[in-house]
Amino acid sequence: MIGVLKSLGLTMSTMLRKPVTIQYPSAHRSVPERDRAFPILLWDFEIDESFCTGCHACERACPVECMTVTMMDNPKFAEGKSKRRKILDEFFIDYARCMRCNICVEVCNFDAIAMNNTWAGHELSVVDRKDLVMDREQLLALSKTRQIRPWVPS
Amino acid sequence: MALDPMTHERELETIDFNINIGPQHPATHGVFRMVLVVDGEEVVDLVPHIGYMHRGAEKLSEFMDYRQAIGYQDRTEYLAQFNAEMTYVQAVEKLAGIEPPERSQYIRIILAELNRISSHFMFLGAFGVDLGIIGTSFMYAFREREHILDLFEEITGDRLMYAYFRPGGVAWDVPRNFKERVRWVCEQALIGADDLDKLLTDNEIFIARTLGIGRLSIEDAINYGATGPVLRASGLKFDLRRDEPYSIYDRFDFEIPVGKNGDSYDRYLVRLAEIHQSVRIVLQALDQLPEGPILPERLPRLLRPAPGEIYMRCENPRGEYGIYLVSRGTTQPYRLRIRSSCFANLSALKHMTIGHYVADAVTILGSIDIVLCEVDR
Amino acid sequence: MSLLAWGLFGVDMNVWLDAFLRLQLVVVVMTVTVMFLIYFERKFVGRIQMRLGPMRTGPYGSLQSVADALKLLTKEDLRPSTADFWLFELAPYVTFIPAFMTLMALPFMEGWGVRNLQLGLFYIVAVSGVTVIGYIMAGWASDNKYALLGAVRSAAQLISYEIPLILAVLAASMVAGSLNINDIIYLQDTVPNIVLQPLPFVILMIALLAELSRRPFDIPIGESELVGGPWVEYSGIRWSIIFALSEYALLWGMSILTAMVFFGGWEWPFGTRSWWGDFDFLYQLLLIFVKSFLLILVVMWVSATFPRLRIDQLMAFCWKILLPFGFLQVMINGIVLMYLKDSEVARDIVLFLTSSALLVAMGYVIYWATRQAPREVRVGPEYALGSISR
């Protein structure tokens, strides 16, 4: 009988502890700096173009082949404003295929892609699966509006 | 109920009842189907059906290079990811002849042991639910598991699929407050284990449900290829960390809990005791953690191990997890075969269940602690 | 306010109308209490599990029961096409109506009940046993072999646990010498029956858990194996009649009964001292509700903590442990009450001592029984020859 009473005593004592759950949509728990949601592209504010040059390194390294990249000649290079010869033309990432393994961030030579470490990266419900294929503007949106400070592993 | 020796039919006409504990069920851990043939309430035969979760991890790994294939190891063993990654990464390192630096070896051991703790917490929670405590044991176990997963999120960025180990070391260094955080998590883990101990271990109802259920003798366990806590609960003191030490396990001092009877109660006790031993290892490793690089100096961009084959095995929370790797000198493995611990443990299910009641079948399945993705890969 | 002491509204009215109005009052109170209890259980069990419970519907989730009831009312009313029509439709009512009929014999205040029956206890216990028929009807009519299995198991469990329940209340009523609940309460004005008879109290609580199919005895609604038991084919409001209404109504009714029989009801500690004059009944109502509420709390607490017993362990526990100790208690009560009917103090002390001794003995027997080696496994793997692809 003692064991039974011990269990009862334990459940009574846990009742007096603070509840460990929070009310999710009203309250969010803070995500750490290294949180790894889906990848986003970074915007270079000094030159006003994307860091990404479209070199296909991440596209080749992706295990699930979720990216499609095209590059074009950089008009700003011809004008002399930028050092990048080629620049990104189109960039599609299918968030439904991405497995968030971080390899694209590691292989990028230009530190142009980073993992989204905000809550917006986690709250991505859509009604139609096609809406999960993100194009260039959607990928650059967070960085252009200076909403995130991404963490790129050194 | 004698059997006619010629036709193997029973002489007295009775109908056996088939109970299908089907793939969608709250009690089977994952999509596992077992068909119980019962005579009244007693299980006469058990036919397991697996393969509902086969996703071709081994075949897919043949198209990945050695860094990309780490993700599949996570997803195969989704409760003990660091242990699976460690097995794979050590297999590649041995083939390629790379020696990981000291700091990353220690980090790997710390994270693998913490992952063992979190996997055992998952077992404790789910075992309570299998027995009928809807929710209470689950919440206590998951409270502690959340602490560990939060720590992993601070280090690697992800809560469940880390892909953090690399052949040669780990991908990036741990944050600055690593030691304090790990110490705090260990304290919380001990409190949580204590809670679950008070809730379940001496509880008469729990004992009545698990004592003597699903006995597996040492000979049978070895014959079925069961390893890990299932084997240790049957009485054999065999642990790969002590008997074939890999990585730097020979520098730590820990005990190996062993059961006496091989029933479900012993398997529960062995896993509960292993939590304490893992905390011991983690604290020792924290004291010895050196500074230094985490990846070797000259590491090629794309790894091309020398042609050859290797079988590397490690002690997962569930048993012996083995990677058999064949390389032809290219960037992709020629064959990556996973020796799954749960598959062998599960093969003993029929032997353990026959003769017990229907409710015990669920208990025994819970006490083996399977991860369906590992059984089916 | 002595209006409420006899007849409603102080008017001498037709006996049937009077009974009907009282019944309506009890129904209203029961419905509100049941809705409150559902909400309270979810919050309480949530707190035990270190989480919040319902928080969204209304302030702190207090309108959760209303939301649940509305949702269930608007659900599709399913019936399997091969189900036996009349049995399927009537089964929830056969389960619920006896649970509600027990409330008719309970005196909620001094002298106020729907009816004051001389055989009150007998009536309550007899009527609450009719719910078993509802379970069997549901299991049979659902045309589902798992429902049938659950119904048969639950019938076995409910019928078996009726007997310790009866023995426990019998032991308590022997001390009072009457089956009328009012008499039992009157005789507890100085010392409640829990002190005199702790063992029947424990037996009654355990039998109550089993009668309500709550953990640790919830094999009929075993959620980990045969999910749902005999009620697996029911949906919508029909399902909620069993799981919400009848379970919580029976829980509330039986806990009020336990509070009356063992804790002194509205009498102990200071129920009938007339301190409050005409408002005495408020204090009595408060006593009754607080005591029954505490008992409900204990039932919910136990229910949230323990794993479930296997069916054979359940039956063994009833027939081999609760039943013999119940009988012993009744026999010893008889002997003590026969030979010590002169001195009340001596009788009380001897009753207390014998009952506590039996309680300790029962605890020891349970401890010893759980540590026994289980039965030998009778069927080995040799029996399963050639049955791979059956």
Side-chain angles (χ1 to χ4, degrees), chain C residues 81 90 102 112 119-120 140 146 152 171 176 183 195 218 231 237 272 277 312 339 341 352 384:
Chain C
S81 57
L90 289 178
T102 60
W112 196 94
L119 294 175
W140 174 256
Y146 299 114
V152 164
D183 287 343
V195 173
D218 71 339
W231 306 105
I237 198 68
T272 50
D312 64 317
Y339 286 111
K341 51 181 162 217
F352 168 67

Side-chain angles (χ1 to χ4, degrees), chain C residues 9 34 47 58 82 96 124 136 141 155 159 203 260 272 274 287 289 302 309 316 335 386:
Chain C
F9 307 117
V34 160
R47 273 310 159 105
T82 48
F96 167 62
I124 288 177
I136 301 182
I159 295 180
I203 294 183
M260 286 177 183
T272 50
S274 305
L287 265 186
F289 280 135
V302 166
L309 284 173
I335 297 174

Side-chain angles (χ1 to χ4, degrees), chain C residues 212-227:
Chain C
L212 296 167
S213 296
R214 280 189 159 260
R215 296 191 289 277
F217 302 106
D218 71 339
I219 281 285
I221 38 176
E223 294 198 24
S224 291
E225 308 142 25
L226 306 173
V227 188

